Amino acid sequence: MTQRSWSRRDFLRRTAAGAVALGGITALSACTSTSSGGGSVLENARNSGSMRIGIAGEEPYGFTGTDGRVTGEAPEVARAVLQGIGIRDVQAEQVDFGSLIPALNANRFDMVCAGMNITPQRCQQASFSVPDYTALTAFLVPKGNPQGVTTFQHIAEKKLPLAVLGAAVEQGYAEAAGVPPGNISPFDDQNALLQAVTAGRVYAAALTDISLKWLAGKNPQAGVEVTPGFTPTQNGREVVSAGGFVFRQADTDVRNAFNTELQTLHGNGRWVQIASPFGFSQSNLPTAGLTTEQLCAA
């Protein structure tokens, strides 16, 4: 991955119709699923030895590397979990972030591995695993942060233009803090967020601190920095940002098996080993007592 990848238009862009295996390119039908074998998703995946997943190309959560290999925290954790429940191979299809749940429900793949935040709205459309990680929110800003912004309230007070990732949770956080919708510009990918900041089209871009630190670290000559992470608020309450893996609501067997093995990885230290190369640490593990049910009801 080059240090100047931020200047390439095609950074993180892949055709949604293409599909990538963790070890290389594998052609997939856009309309088939491992659930088409007549049994449950878990049974069919164990029989075939393979599970199809969806990613969105957001680094470091789930993305396609320049070598064509799918990697990132979510695919790598998923691969370890699935191997633990008898599924040795993972194949991936990359689509736009906002298309992940619709494509899942259309049976294009059987699980989303994209570090997707667990929110009440999304819980109405699909079923989430136990929380996989937690993260703070941050801003990508010009070097030195001349406007001194560290919260969405600062963005609102200073009437600054803000970039967000399309269909991500940060737009809701910004609007809840009083940022006018007209001051918020959604973009398709991280490269577009970076370019919007470096070109001065927006003052800041909002995303998780994990994602922005990764992006800034890959582009040290871009003249940007990442503000300290913070916890946003909505309706006067702090919002816990926790991500998880996503399944169709009917696929309880594979979700339950996945949850059991994922919790084992969280508890035995292996999750940290897998996730740390992507900027995650022990501090990103969900706190005891944090549940999917709480996040879905928040």
Side-chain angles (χ1 to χ4, degrees):
M1 298 180 182
T2 64
Q3 295 296 321
R4 293 188 56 81
S5 59
W6 64 278
S7 65
R8 298 202 314 264
R9 284 280 183 187
D10 61 349
F11 176 66
L12 288 178
R13 289 187 179 275
R14 297 291 189 274
T15 174
V20 186
L22 285 177
I25 304 295
T26 302
L28 292 182
S29 165
C31 300
T32 61
S33 163
T34 54
S35 61
S36 62
S40 70
V41 168
L42 181 58
E43 179 184 355
N44 290 329
R46 280 174 168 162
N47 288 339
S48 68
S50 180
M51 173 75 81
R52 291 172 180 166
I53 67 171
I55 65 170
E58 181 186 352
E59 298 191 32
Y61 296 101
F63 60 97
T64 306
T66 55
D67 60 356
R69 182 179 186 273
V70 168
T71 189
E73 184 271 343
E76 299 294 354
V77 170
R79 181 167 64 176
V81 169
L82 292 172
Q83 286 177 345
I85 61 177
I87 303 165
R88 66 181 181 275
D89 180 51
V90 177
Q91 298 179 342
E93 181 178 355
Q94 184 166 312
V95 301
D96 291 339
F97 190 87
S99 299
L100 284 167
I101 290 180
L104 171 72
N105 287 329
N107 293 328
R108 284 175 60 169
F109 35 77
D110 292 312
M111 179 172 62
V112 171
C113 302
M116 183 176 283
N117 269 27
I118 304 170
T119 68
Q121 296 77 15
R122 290 170 180 162
C123 290
Q124 295 176 8
Q125 304 168 38
S127 180
F128 281 82
S129 69
V130 296
D132 179 44
Y133 71 90
T134 60
L136 297 174
T137 302
F139 298 119
L140 188 73
V141 296
K143 195 69 119 177
N145 192 8
Q147 292 288 346
V149 299
T150 56
T151 67
F152 286 110
Q153 285 76 15
H154 291 162
I155 297 287
E157 291 165 3
K158 295 174 181 286
K159 299 181 174 58
L160 297 171
L162 177 71
V164 297
L165 195 63
V169 296
E170 286 76 22
Q171 181 165 354
Y173 297 160
E175 291 178 355
V179 180
N183 283 8
I184 304 172
S185 299
F187 291 90
D188 289 339
D189 56 46
Q190 292 157 298
N191 184 51
L193 296 182
L194 178 61
Q195 290 189 9
V197 174
T198 57
R201 295 194 298 273
V202 300
Y203 176 76
L207 210 56
T208 68
D209 60 344
I210 295 171
S211 185
L212 293 179
K213 287 176 182 177
W214 180 280
L215 182 62
K218 285 187 60 181
N219 300 281
Q221 306 306 317
V224 294
E225 66 181 59
V226 179
T227 63
F230 65 95
T231 301
T233 60
Q234 283 184 311
N235 301 319
R237 296 192 307 171
E238 290 189 340
V239 180
V240 176
S241 296
F245 299 87
V246 195
F247 305 87
R248 286 183 290 271
Q249 291 177 340
D251 295 339
T252 56
D253 58 344
V254 67
R255 186 193 69 230
N256 291 342
F258 192 95
N259 281 343
T260 298
E261 188 66 21
L262 177 58
Q263 289 172 314
T264 297
L265 294 187
H266 282 171
N268 64 15
R270 192 163 174 225
W271 182 91
V272 174
Q273 294 176 345
I274 296 169
S276 61
F278 303 101
F280 293 73
S281 68
Q282 185 79 25
S283 66
N284 295 116
L285 279 170
T287 57
L290 181 65
T291 69
T292 303
E293 290 73 20
Q294 291 171 340
L295 295 165
C296 287

